[in-house]
């Protein structure tokens, strides 16, 4: 997540520099309007990236929970079989 935030901040800074250095935009109003448009587009992309990352993390969490439950059941069965063998007289 930290890497994503760093990358998104870098893109935002690059966008500001790009607009500031754009020679086709003559007035401050044009530059402000273009910067606002680019920021809105970036915000949409960033929100989508975060939503996708959250979905991916949720899926992985669910997979881990299922794996953990399966391993817990297997461990419980192993413990039961060991305890049965320890109490059987030879």
């Amino acid at each position: 997540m930290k890497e994503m935030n760093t990358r998104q901040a870098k893109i935002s800074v690059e966008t500001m520099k790009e607009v500031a250095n754009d020679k086709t935009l003559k007035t401050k109003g044009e530059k402000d309007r273009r910067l606002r448009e680019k920021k809105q587009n970036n915000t949409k992309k960033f929100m989508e990236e975060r939503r996708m990352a959250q979905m991916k993390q949720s899926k992985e969490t669910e997979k881990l929970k299922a794996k953990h439950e399966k391993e817990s059941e297997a461990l419980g069965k192993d413990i039961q079989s060991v305890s049965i063998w320890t109490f059987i007289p030879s």
Side-chain angles (χ1 to χ4, degrees):
M1 187 72 166
K2 185 177 180 181
E3 295 165 357
M4 184 187 322
N5 290 340
T6 303
R7 186 179 46 74
Q8 290 175 352
K10 183 178 178 182
I11 290 172
S12 294
V13 170
E14 288 172 356
T15 299
M16 286 190 288
K17 286 181 183 178
E18 178 185 322
V19 171
N21 294 329
D22 190 347
K23 302 299 181 193
T24 62
L25 303 173
K26 301 293 182 192
T27 65
K28 182 173 177 3
E30 288 176 337
K31 288 185 179 189
D32 289 346
R33 178 188 53 78
R34 186 66 183 135
L35 182 60
R36 205 170 33 253
E37 288 172 358
K38 286 189 170 260
K39 281 185 177 181
Q40 285 177 345
N41 288 337
N42 285 344
T43 301
K44 287 177 187 175
K45 284 194 297 188
F46 298 161
M47 289 177 69
E48 182 65 19
E49 285 178 12
R50 290 178 182 182
R51 187 180 67 80
M52 294 301 288
Q54 187 177 22
M55 287 174 48
K56 183 179 177 182
Q57 184 179 16
S58 294
K59 286 180 183 178
E60 287 184 20
T61 301
E62 289 302 317
K63 285 180 182 178
L64 285 174
K65 283 181 183 178
K67 183 178 179 181
H68 176 73
E69 190 170 318
K70 190 175 181 181
E71 289 175 351
S72 292
E73 288 175 8
L75 182 61
K77 289 178 183 176
D78 288 347
I79 290 173
Q80 282 181 342
S81 67
V82 168
S83 23
I84 289 173
W85 286 107
T86 56
F87 293 114
I88 297 176
S90 321

